[in-house]
């Protein structure tokens, strides 16, 4: 009976699928033997359990589900924008509505899709991978999640409450970087901008809380033998990411406090009439904004670091260099923010400095690309769905990084700033890079999280459709950028030669939607009908695969002790353990 | 090396002692980093807008150096440190004494800030809305004061528990974490004080 | 300052290597695959002023380098993914485990560093060749003021105030145009790609830029920084005119507005209606009582090709529609509908179309 079998609600220990004799690793039996029986619970109890849980795995899954819901919402907004832009002088939506769409799309995608989904995977993976039973502060963890969740709802409530309940339909329309003084009360009357500010302020609190948890967990909760130098790269990167969150989200929080003071108490931080500076907001925003994009891409790198080796059947090439590169990226990314401001008139010296800092980032990033390449080299690449998406990531991130370098050339940026070339650049990184890495990790870790494999067939459909859609949309978006098409415009003139390219870009979205639908369908149907995964379906090497799928509430019956970076490799190849080679 | 010895699930007791930092301390350190970043932004804004106000009053016309408050706040760092020491030695009486001292000193600081604000608002006519100086001054000093308030609430709660005899040396790590926060609040004041009352005047 | 440039040497693409790479790879690959300039008035691949030219040079250089990196790295990736794919029968053995190699890793640290240094130095050359130049004598000075959602231009030395359509003389090396930019409300950006990119127009701040176009013509652009509802229709038109044409334009603009309309009673009536309406609170018509500053100067409105910042062409029908309900032509613009009756609309239209 399907419900008997696949009810997430029960204690994992009593889960029938646990009884499948899948364990090939002797150690896993240890878990099986500790099983205790518990009586099944009623649905109300289930909901109560999820609402009140402090288990890092459940919170992780809630983050992920929450982000997926917002991905669909943000994607629908994107679709509406693409319909509007498909042809010149279109009247599908009004300028006001369009401006709200891209503001909400950008804000949603960054703060309520990308951030939470990264925290979701971090929440789930970090403790298991370091052999811990939970996060350092489980209650803080739940608190952070609920604060972030509330923030997303608050943002969308603006559609109802933006200018008071009577004037429904006014979401913020200031752009996701909300340049002052457009956000001042004079230029943005009503409350839509307040919803934007407050929801970001709140989501920032949640992010800082979760990052604090991740860092503390990593530093204080490792199982015996899990030295820093033995941690999986994923955990290392989450450590760096957590550190970055402290120093990037906080400035944003500070800036939002200032904006709130301006809007509510009549302060003058960004009031140009009172001598305030519009450029100060830009600095504050991008001091957050730039490292933020590395906060997002670093976990994507982290997923690659786990997936590429497993599907190439080789250890990661150059572990110490990978760690060093991540740390370098973290530090350098703090000093490049003004490459978003090459056109505000910083002067020759300022521009030159930021050109240099920006370009330097390509060195550690390049190290990563090349190390993945070397990991694959001489391996035995298994093209399961996770690896397909990983391969897509590698190519697309390469291109995206190179367009980043193009933008970093300040004079070139005087032409390209705020054009669709920039939009193409960052969607290439975010969709082609981050989203692909995420899809890869869904296919990779879904078996661990649910105990079921995702369908490979649907996975390949998803891959093909999405990659076609992605390239149609975002490859062709570079061209109107080079031809001078500004972003954040609700429509454009017919005589500028942008029409064809925009049409192609819009058509691509159809394929993306089809791809995402395959994916969502796969997620849901595999939960009920997927092949039983067993603890270690990919023959992988990190600790999460040593416990059952899904793991019991306390992850490990007996806390593991590790001797190397790939404990399960050592276990499977006792004749040739990793620990003999690691430096 | 036998295969059994690299079992990932080997009981941890078999290993040499495995110690890691206390999570409260690490968590507090993280919080301090994040908070510092917030303060830095407010301080940058303060410095950036120095002398850029279009109307008066200017800092040198209205600000007076809050010497008493500053001395109290800085010495509260010492008292809280002494309290930690006493707790470590399990001298609970002395601990309560120094803790109470800390709360009192912190409160005096807060009162002196309140009194200064009262003077500025009602006598000098400087409010958050007056000019850029008012905006940045109140927000920076206010941000710090709000941290003092949070610290004071926690310290007072501890004091209350201590008075009821509910605090003992087993709470050392937790109290140590709290004292870390209090030191941070003090440290920030040193910077704010320098920027606002010395450099900015 | 992005427009500032060295008068003679155009900063980039003088070096032999640069020329070879630029002309060899990038031109062929990119410039030719893109449509011709007439269809793409805002392309950066058709520079019309030395500043734009020098940006064009460095852009081809950078495109070529990044293309090169792409070919190498993507080629390697393709190679390893195909060469080392799992084949039937492979499943049994794990491949040899390799943990790293200091030499190899060093090499792919050093090579990118060298590329970065090269890119950085060439970029710096262009930046210094454009931003670190002081203002020459004899330049025509224009103050550009951004408004939600239109442009105001002052020619302080010539005593001209106009809106939306910028006129400048062809530059013969003695008459570049020096733009001082600021904003009356929020941040905008003056963005005319063929004249060398953009400069942000920021309230409470003055930015400077140069344009120096050698060829007469109409150069299109538009506001390049989101500034509110009608950011999309805050278009820019720069008319570069021969010296004589420009002087003639200046003469005409310096006149006050036309006051007498012999044989055209509708226009005379229109003037009266205009001056008795709220129009004068927002618009200036030199020589009349209208001296508002919130909207564009209308003194020589009829001499412009477009109205409402390029949103629609300047025909009597559009004018009438505009005055009747500006939001129907440019939804979200800051001019309210005055709810005039048909008679008043006709009259004002007749009047405004006479203001050459
Ligand atoms: C996760 C997201 C992400 C990532 C990883 C990046 C990565 C990079 N970005 Fe991007 N960027 C964004 C997201 C991201 N960006 C967003 C969202 C915006 C727009 C915000 C907005 O305005 O709304 C933006 C905008 C943006 C701008 C501003 C454009 C403008 O508004 O005018 C610039 C300019 O320098 C830039 C540069 C770069 C560079 C140099 C990198 C580098 O990190 C790339 C490094 C990688 C490589 C270079 C490839 C691999 C390296 C090698 C193979 C080695 C050999 C290569 C060389 C030696 C060159 N980005
Ligand atoms: C995580 C970040 C992220 C992601 C994933 C995306 C994904 C997409 N983005 Fe987004 N985008 C941003 C971040 C992101 N974007 C940011 C930060 C901005 C700047 C905002 C600003 O300027 O203020 C921006 C701006 C932006 C613009 C420019 C708007 C403008 O400047 O005028 C455009 C235009 O095409 C666009 C398009 C898309 C498209 C087509 C996708 C697609 O990949 C989306 C595909 C997903 C789906 C389509 C969801 C699937 C839906 C279903 C399964 C349900 C069925 C769907 C329907 C019935 C419609 N984005
Ligand atoms: Cu003005 Cu956009
Ligand atoms: Cu950036």
């Amino acid at each position: 009976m399907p419900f008997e079998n696949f009810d997430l609600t029960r204690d994992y220990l009593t889960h029938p699928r646990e009884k499948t004799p899948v364990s090939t690793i002797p150690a896993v039996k240890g878990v099986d033997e500790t099983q205790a029986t518990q009586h099944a619970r009623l649905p109300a109890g289930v909901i109560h359990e999820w609402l009140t849980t402090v288990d890092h795995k459940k919170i992780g899954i809630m983050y992920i589900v929450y982000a997926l819901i917002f991905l669909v919402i943000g994607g629908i907004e994107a679709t509406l924008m693409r319909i509007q832009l498909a042809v010149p002088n279109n009247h599908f939506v009004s300028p006001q509505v369009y401006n709200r769409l891209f503001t909400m799309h950008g804000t949603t995608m960054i703060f309520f899709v990308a951030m939470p989904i990264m925290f979701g995977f971090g929440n789930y993976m970090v403790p298991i991978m370091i052999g811990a039973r939970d996060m350092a502060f489980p209650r803080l963890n739940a608190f952070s999640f609920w604060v972030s969740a509330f923030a997303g709802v608050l943002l969308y409530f603006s559609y109802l409450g933006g200018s008071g309940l009577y004037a429904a339909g006014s979401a913020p329309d200031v752009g996701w970087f909300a340049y002052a003084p457009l956000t001042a009360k004079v230029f943005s009357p009503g409350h839509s901008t307040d919803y934007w500010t407050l929801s970001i302020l709140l989501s920032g609190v949640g992010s800082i809380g979760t990052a604090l948890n991740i860092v503390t967990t990593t530093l204080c909760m490792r199982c015996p033998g899990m030295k820093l130098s033995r941690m999986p790269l994923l955990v290392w990167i989450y450590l760096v990411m957590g550190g970055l969150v402290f120093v990037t989200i906080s400035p944003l929080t500070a800036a939002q406090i200032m904006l709130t003071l301006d809007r509510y108490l009549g302060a003058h931080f960004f009031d140009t009439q009172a001598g305030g500076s519009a450029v100060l907001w830009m600095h504050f925003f991008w001091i957050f904004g730039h490292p933020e994009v590395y906060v997002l891409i670093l976990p994507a790198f982290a997923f690659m670091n786990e997936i590429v080796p497993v599907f190439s059947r080789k250890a990661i090439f150059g572990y110490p260099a990978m760690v060093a590169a991540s740390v370098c990226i973290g530090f350098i990314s703090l000093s490049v923010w003004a490459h978003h401001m090459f056109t505000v008139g910083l002067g020759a010296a300022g521009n030159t400095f930021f050109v240099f800092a920006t370009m330097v980032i390509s060195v550690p990033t390049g190290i990563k690309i090349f190390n993945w390449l070397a990991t694959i080299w001489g391996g035995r690449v298994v093209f399961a769905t996770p690896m397909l998406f990983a391969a897509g990531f590698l190519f697309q991130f390469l291109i995206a990084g190179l367009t980043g370098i193009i933008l970093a050339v300040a004079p070139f940026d005087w032409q390209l700033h705020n054009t669709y070339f920039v939009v193409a650049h960052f969607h290439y990184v975010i969709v082609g890079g981050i989203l692909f890495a995420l899809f890869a990790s869904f296919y990779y870790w879904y078996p661990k999280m649910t105990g079921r494999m995702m369908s490979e067939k649907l996975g390949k459909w998803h891959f093909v459709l999405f990659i076609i859609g992605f390239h149609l949309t975002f490859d062709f978006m570079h061209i109107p950028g080079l031809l001078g098409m500004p972003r954040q415009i609700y429509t454009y003139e017919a005589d500028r030669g942008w029409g064809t390219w925009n049409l192609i870009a819009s058509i691509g979205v159809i394929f993306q939607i089809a791809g995402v639908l395959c994916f969502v369908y796969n997620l849901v149907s595999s939960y009920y009908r997927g092949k039983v995964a067993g603890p270690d379906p990919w023959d992988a090497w990190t600790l999460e695969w040593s416990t059952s799928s899904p793991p019991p509430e306390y992850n490990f019956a007996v806390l593991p002790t590790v001797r190397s970076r790939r404990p399960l490799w050592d276990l499977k190849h006792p004749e040739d353990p990793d620990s003999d080679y690691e430096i | 090396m036998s295969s059994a010895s690299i079992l990932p699930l080997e009981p941890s007791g078999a290993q040499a002692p495995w110690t890691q930092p206390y999570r409260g301390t690490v968590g507090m350190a993280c919080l301090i980093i994040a908070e510092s970043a917030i303060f830095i932004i407010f301080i940058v804004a303060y410095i950036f807008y120095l002398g850029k106000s279009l109307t008066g009053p200017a800092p040198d016309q209205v600000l007076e150096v809050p010497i008493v408050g500053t001395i109290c706040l800085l010495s509260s760092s010492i008292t809280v440190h002494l309290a930690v020491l006493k707790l470590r030695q399990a001298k609970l009486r002395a601990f309560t004494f120094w803790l109470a001292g800390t709360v009192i000193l912190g409160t005096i600081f807060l009162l002196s800030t309140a009194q200064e604000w009262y003077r500025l608002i009602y006598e000098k006519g400087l409010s958050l809305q007056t000019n850029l100086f008012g905006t940045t001054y109140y927000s920076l000093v206010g941000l710090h004061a709000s941290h003092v308030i949070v610290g004071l609430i926690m310290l007072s709660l501890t004091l209350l528990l201590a008075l009821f005899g509910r605090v003992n040396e087993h709470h050392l790590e937790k109290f140590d974490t709290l004292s870390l926060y209090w030191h941070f609040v003090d440290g920030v004041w040193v910077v704010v004080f320098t920027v606002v009352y010395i450099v900015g005047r | 300052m992005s427009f500032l440039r060295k008068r003679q040497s155009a900063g980039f693409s003088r070096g032999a290597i640069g020329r070879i790479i630029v002309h060899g790879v990038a031109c062929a690959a990119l410039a030719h695959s893109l449509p011709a300039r007439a269809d793409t008035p805002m392309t950066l691949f058709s520079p019309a002023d030395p500043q734009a030219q020098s940006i064009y040079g460095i852009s081809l250089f950078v495109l070529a380098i990044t293309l090169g990196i792409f070919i190498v790295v993507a080629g390697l990736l393709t190679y390893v993914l195909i060469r080392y794919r799992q084949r039937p029968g492979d499943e049994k053995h794990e491949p040899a485990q390799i943990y790293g190699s200091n030499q190899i890793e060093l090499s792919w640290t050093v090579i990118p560093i060298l590329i970065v240094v090269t890119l950085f130095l060439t970029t710096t050359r262009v930046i210094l060749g454009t931003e670190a130049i002081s203002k020459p004598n004899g330049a025509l000075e224009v103050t550009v003021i951004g408004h939600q959602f239109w442009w105001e231009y002052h020619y302080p030395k010539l005593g001209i105030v106009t809106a939306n359509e910028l006129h400048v003389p062809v530059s013969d090396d003695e008459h570049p145009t020096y733009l001082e930019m600021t904003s009356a409300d929020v941040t905008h950006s003056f963005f005319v790609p063929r004249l060398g990119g953009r400069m942000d127009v920021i309230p409470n701040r003055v930015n400077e830029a140069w344009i120096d176009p050698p060829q007469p013509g109409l150069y299109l652009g538009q506001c390049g920084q989101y500034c509110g509802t009608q950011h999309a229709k805050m278009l820019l038109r720069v008319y570069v005119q021969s010296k004589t044409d420009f002087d003639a334009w200046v003469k005409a603009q310096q006149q006050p507005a036309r006051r007498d309309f012999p044989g055209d009673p509708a226009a005379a009536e229109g003037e009266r209606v205009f001056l008795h309406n709220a129009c004068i609170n927002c618009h200036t018509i030199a020589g009349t009582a209208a001296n508002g500053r919130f909207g564009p100067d209308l003194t020589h409105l009829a001499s412009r090709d477009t109205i409402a910042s390029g949103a629609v062409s300047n025909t009597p029908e559009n004018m009438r529609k505009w005055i009747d309900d500006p939001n129907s032509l440019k939804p979200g613009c800051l001019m309210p509908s005055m709810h005039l009756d048909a008679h008043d609309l006709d009259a004002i239209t007749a009047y405004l179309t006479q203001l050459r």
Side-chain angles (χ1 to χ4, degrees):
Chain A
M1 224 178 81
F3 278 105
E4 269 262 279
N5 278 315
F6 306 112
D7 185 357
L8 244 190
T9 67
R10 294 189 188 184
D11 192 293
Y12 293 133
L13 292 181
T14 55
H15 218 287
R17 83 183 79 121
E18 293 274 315
K19 300 197 176 98
T20 335
V22 278
S23 127
T24 49
I25 303 167
V28 175
K29 277 200 195 116
V31 176
D32 285 358
E33 282 152 15
T34 63
Q35 281 183 23
T37 27
Q38 274 187 4
H39 57 88
R41 281 180 239 162
L42 296 165
V46 173
I47 294 169
H48 180 260
E49 180 182 331
W50 279 84
L51 289 183
T52 56
T53 184
V54 294
D55 175 20
H56 72 100
K57 295 183 291 303
K58 287 203 174 114
I59 293 177
I61 289 175
M62 287 198 293
Y63 260 122
I64 292 170
V65 170
Y66 160 81
L68 283 178
I69 293 171
F70 275 112
L71 173 69
V72 171
I73 297 178
I76 291 174
E77 283 157 353
T79 313
L80 296 177
M81 289 196 291
R82 283 313 328 166
I83 296 176
Q84 164 71 12
L85 290 177
V87 290
N89 286 319
N90 201 357
H91 291 295
F92 177 67
V93 294
S94 72
Q96 288 91 343
V97 169
Y98 184 88
N99 296 344
R100 288 181 186 130
L101 282 177
F102 71 70
T103 305
M104 294 295 269
H105 166 76
T107 311
T108 308
M109 286 295 199
I110 299 287
F111 293 100
F112 302 112
V113 177
M115 289 291 277
I117 209 163
M118 292 310 179
F119 282 136
F121 275 98
N123 243 305
Y124 201 103
M125 290 297 131
V126 168
I128 300 202
M129 280 188 151
I130 57 173
R133 291 210 161 116
D134 205 329
M135 294 288 248
F137 308 106
R139 280 191 210 91
L140 173 65
N141 202 17
F143 170 78
S144 306
F145 168 74
W146 289 108
V147 169
S148 307
F150 176 71
V153 176
L154 186 67
L155 180 67
Y156 274 84
F157 188 70
S158 66
Y159 266 113
L160 297 178
S163 41
L165 274 175
Y166 46 89
S170 73
D173 60 354
V174 288
W176 90 282
F177 40 74
Y179 275 3
L182 188 59
T183 46
K185 264 259 154 10
V186 225
F187 300 112
S188 295
H191 291 295
S192 55
T193 309
D194 300 323
Y195 282 96
W196 182 84
T197 320
L198 293 176
S199 82
I200 287 181
L201 194 67
L202 277 182
S203 98
V205 172
S207 302
I208 293 174
T210 306
L212 187 152
N213 231 325
I214 288 179
V215 170
T216 313
T217 308
T218 315
L219 293 181
C220 309
M221 311 286 286
R222 282 162 289 134
C223 69
M226 181 65 76
K227 299 191 215 155
L228 287 182
S229 60
R230 282 184 192 153
M231 288 193 315
L233 281 173
L234 181 141
V235 182
W236 254 112
I237 287 185
Y238 268 96
L239 184 63
V240 176
M241 179 244 204
L244 265 184
V245 166
F246 301 146
V247 289
T248 65
I249 302 285
S250 306
L252 179 70
T253 308
Q256 302 291 12
I257 295 175
M258 292 176 182
L259 184 56
T260 310
L261 291 177
D262 272 12
R263 287 184 60 90
Y264 276 103
L265 299 182
H268 304 294
F269 281 108
F270 308 114
D271 178 357
T272 47
Q273 306 293 321
S277 163
V279 178
L280 193 68
W281 170 269
M282 301 185 193
H283 279 296
F284 288 169
F285 188 87
W286 292 119
I287 283 173
F288 146 78
H290 186 85
E292 163 71 9
V293 304
Y294 290 94
V295 165
L296 301 181
I297 196 75
L298 279 174
F301 292 161
F303 306 150
M304 286 301 111
N305 286 335
E306 300 305 318
I307 292 169
V308 169
V310 167
F311 289 90
S312 310
R313 310 304 311 153
K314 272 182 71 206
I316 189 87
F317 190 92
Y319 174 99
M322 288 301 241
V323 172
S326 310
V327 176
C328 281
I329 290 179
F331 277 106
I332 303 174
S333 73
L334 296 178
S335 62
V336 307
W337 74 87
H339 68 212
H340 297 271
M341 301 165 58
F342 281 144
T343 59
V344 301
L346 292 177
N351 279 347
T352 314
F353 170 80
F354 285 106
V355 167
F356 184 70
T358 303
M359 286 181 173
V360 164
I361 287 233
S362 63
V363 177
T365 317
I367 292 177
K368 284 180 173 279
I369 298 247
F370 295 125
N371 278 1
W372 289 321
L373 203 128
T375 306
I376 302 172
W377 195 292
R380 169 163 69 72
V381 184
V382 184
F383 279 106
T385 314
M387 190 61 191
L388 285 179
F389 279 102
F393 170 93
L394 292 174
F395 285 100
Q396 283 146 202
F397 179 72
L398 172 68
I399 297 176
L402 293 174
T403 54
I405 295 297
I406 289 172
L407 290 170
V409 175
F412 206 170
D413 188 65
W414 296 334
Q415 292 281 14
L416 294 176
H417 177 65
N418 273 350
T419 65
Y420 264 82
F421 193 86
V422 175
V423 178
H425 156 71
F426 70 75
H427 283 89
Y428 233 95
V429 203
I430 293 183
V431 180
I434 296 175
L435 209 54
F436 269 68
L438 277 168
F439 286 143
S441 36
F442 268 105
Y443 287 92
Y444 183 60
W445 278 303
Y446 186 87
K448 179 49 61 187
M449 296 182 180
T450 64
R452 299 262 157 179
M453 304 295 286
M454 285 178 82
S455 152
E456 278 287 305
K457 193 163 152 228
L458 273 174
K460 295 210 160 113
W461 271 107
H462 169 201
F463 176 72
V464 171
L465 286 169
F466 201 81
I467 207 159
I468 294 175
F470 167 77
H471 284 284
L472 278 180
T473 303
F474 296 113
D475 292 8
F476 290 96
M477 212 180 254
H478 289 92
I479 299 173
L482 291 169
L483 300 181
M485 178 172 172
R487 62 195 282 203
Q488 304 176 324
I489 53 175
Y490 76 98
T491 192
Y492 50 94
E493 307 301 300
D495 62 2
R496 307 274 155 119
W498 303 331
T500 324
W501 312 114
N502 274 292
L503 185 61
I504 301 177
S506 297
I507 291 173
V509 178
I510 301 171
F511 290 87
Q512 292 189 51
I513 292 177
V516 175
L517 286 176
C518 280
F519 171 64
V520 173
Y521 179 75
N522 200 350
L523 280 182
V524 177
S525 74
S526 302
Y527 185 70
Y528 296 105
R529 257 166 279 143
K531 209 164 81 212
V532 172
D536 185 20
W538 306 114
D539 195 4
W541 302 308
T542 35
L543 278 184
E544 77 270 29
W545 305 107
S546 75
T547 182
S548 54
S549 308
E553 181 109 18
Y554 42 80
N555 296 349
F556 305 96
V558 185
L559 272 194
T561 301
V562 296
R563 291 276 161 78
S564 79
R565 287 172 201 145
R566 295 193 297 169
L568 268 65
W569 169 275
D570 295 3
L571 197 68
K572 294 168 186 170
H573 302 270
E575 73 293 348
D576 185 25
D578 254 9
S579 41
D580 293 0
Y581 302 95
E582 283 170 3
I583 4 147
Chain B
M1 202 181 288
S2 82
S3 74
S5 71
I6 50 163
L7 269 181
L9 301 185
E10 182 184 342
S12 42
Q15 284 288 312
W18 175 248
T19 51
Q20 289 173 97
Y22 172 59
R23 59 196 166 127
T25 318
V26 175
M28 184 52 73
C30 294
L31 187 71
I32 288 177
I33 296 176
E35 294 267 29
S36 308
I38 294 185
F39 274 105
I40 288 175
I41 295 295
F42 275 88
I43 290 169
V44 166
Y46 188 88
I47 296 177
F48 183 81
Y49 282 142
L50 269 182
K52 295 223 171 73
S53 297
L54 299 184
T55 57
D60 51 348
Q61 293 165 335
V62 292
L63 284 190
E64 275 167 24
V65 184
I67 296 188
V68 179
T70 305
I71 292 175
C72 286
L73 190 65
L74 294 188
S75 32
S76 75
S77 233
I78 302 172
T79 51
V80 84
H81 181 67
L82 289 173
V84 173
L85 279 186
K86 295 300 161 196
L87 190 60
R88 183 165 294 138
Q89 299 160 0
K91 293 186 180 154
L92 296 183
R93 269 274 175 74
F95 161 73
T96 316
F97 174 79
W98 288 120
L99 182 57
T102 311
V103 172
I104 291 170
L105 288 171
T107 313
I108 297 179
F109 170 81
L110 213 55
L111 289 177
S112 88
T113 305
Q115 186 243 337
E116 182 182 12
W117 281 29
Y118 183 86
R119 191 177 59 80
L120 286 175
I121 294 172
Y122 293 103
E123 289 169 23
K124 306 287 178 180
L126 179 75
S127 77
L128 188 76
Q129 306 182 351
T130 310
N131 57 13
L132 286 173
F133 164 58
T135 293
T136 50
Y137 168 80
Y138 285 109
S139 53
L140 177 56
V141 175
L143 185 70
H144 177 261
S146 66
H147 281 75
V148 176
I149 292 174
V150 171
L152 274 181
I153 291 176
M154 315 240 272
L155 287 171
S156 316
L157 282 177
T158 321
L159 181 61
L160 221 65
L161 291 172
L163 289 175
F164 284 105
R166 293 292 173 79
V167 180
N168 57 40
E169 59 275 21
H170 300 300
H171 300 111
L172 177 65
E173 278 180 323
K174 285 187 177 142
F175 186 69
D176 206 21
T177 308
L178 181 55
S179 80
L180 207 61
Y181 176 82
W182 192 250
H183 289 312
F184 163 70
V185 171
D186 267 15
V188 170
W189 181 249
V190 175
V191 179
V192 172
F193 181 82
T194 316
V195 167
V196 174
Y197 296 97
I198 298 179
V199 179
R201 219 154 59 98
Chain C
M1 261 163 279
S2 63
F3 303 81
L4 294 192
R5 60 173 196 86
K6 196 168 255 150
R7 321 286 329 282
Q8 299 308 321
S9 87
F12 187 72
S13 103
R14 292 281 172 272
I17 310 175
R19 210 174 303 146
I20 292 166
I21 301 181
V22 164
H23 292 257
V25 190
C27 272
L30 260 149
H32 288 271
S33 65
L34 293 167
R37 162 209 319 169
D39 309 336
T40 56
M42 284 176 71
T43 172
L44 65 93
F45 291 113
S46 163
D49 118 321
Q51 162 74 29
Q53 187 74 43
S54 108
I55 296 179
Y56 175 61
I58 194 168
S59 42
L60 292 187
F61 177 73
V62 176
L63 285 171
I65 291 212
T66 45
L67 188 68
I69 299 176
F70 171 72
I71 290 173
V72 172
V73 182
L76 283 170
L77 277 173
T78 317
Y79 171 76
V80 293
L81 285 173
I82 293 176
R83 166 76 180 70
Y84 296 105
R85 71 189 183 281
Q86 168 171 293
R87 287 160 233 235
D90 277 358
E91 293 86 350
K92 300 268 160 2
H93 320 280
E94 298 283 26
Q97 300 295 308
I98 298 160
Y99 297 86
S101 152
N102 288 343
Q103 290 88 328
I104 301 181
E105 286 173 61
L106 198 64
S107 75
W108 61 55
T109 313
V110 172
I111 296 174
I113 290 182
L114 295 179
I115 300 177
V116 163
V117 169
T118 318
L119 276 176
F120 169 67
L121 291 179
T122 34
T123 308
T124 310
R125 240 177 89 190
V126 178
I127 294 180
L128 293 181
T130 51
E131 288 199 302
I133 308 278
S134 55
K135 174 181 162 189
N137 307 321
L140 170 70
E141 283 175 31
V142 183
T143 306
V144 178
I145 303 173
H147 293 261
Q148 278 179 324
F149 307 97
W150 58 280
W151 300 93
E152 179 177 352
Y153 301 113
H154 289 248
Y155 296 69
K157 297 232 174 94
L158 303 175
I160 299 176
V161 178
T162 179
N164 293 334
E165 294 180 356
L166 176 63
H167 288 247
V168 302
V170 154
S171 161
D172 47 9
D173 255 21
E174 269 150 53
H175 300 93
T177 304
Y178 176 76
L179 305 174
E180 273 195 352
M181 312 192 178
T182 191
S183 165
D185 36 48
V186 303
T187 304
H188 308 269
S189 189
F190 186 90
F191 175 41
V192 187
R194 295 187 58 208
L195 299 182
R198 76 176 71 216
M199 188 77 224
D200 288 355
V201 177
I202 302 172
N204 194 18
R205 179 187 176 102
V206 178
N207 276 336
E208 298 150 353
W210 291 92
I211 49 176
D212 207 358
Q215 295 296 326
L218 169 61
Y219 298 94
L220 298 182
Q222 65 189 72
C223 177
Q225 174 62 56
Y226 178 66
C227 52
T229 313
Q230 266 301 350
H231 161 61
K233 296 268 166 158
M234 187 165 165
L235 306 179
L236 273 160
R237 303 167 70 85
V238 180
Y239 291 78
V240 177
Q241 295 172 305
S242 69
K243 198 82 190 73
T244 40
D245 287 355
F246 180 71
D247 288 341
W249 179 81
V250 169
K251 259 237 164 66
Q253 296 289 314
Q254 283 169 333
Q255 307 303 317
R258 190 171 159 191
R259 294 304 304 260
D260 53 327
F261 303 95
D264 192 350
E269 165 72 355
E271 181 184 42
R272 204 188 52 77
V273 178
F274 184 91
L275 293 175
H276 284 86
N277 257 299
C279 315
I280 56 171
N281 296 335
C282 295
H283 292 285
T284 298
I285 296 186
T288 72
N291 62 355
R293 293 289 311 276
F294 186 74
D297 186 293
L298 302 179
T299 312
H300 298 284
L301 178 66
S303 73
R304 305 210 266 270
D305 288 342
T306 60
I307 52 176
S309 203
V312 289
S313 58
N314 189 355
T315 61
E317 302 82 69
N318 280 340
M319 182 83 80
R320 191 177 185 283
K321 243 197 210 156
W322 173 263
I323 298 164
D324 183 25
D325 182 10
N327 272 278
S328 66
L329 294 179
K330 200 172 168 180
C333 78
L334 295 187
M335 168 160 154
S337 166
M338 292 287 127
H339 304 293
L340 301 173
D341 57 26
H343 164 265
D344 287 359
L345 279 176
D346 290 337
I348 292 190
T349 309
Y351 169 56
L352 291 179
T353 45
Q354 290 303 317
L355 293 179
R356 300 212 181 282

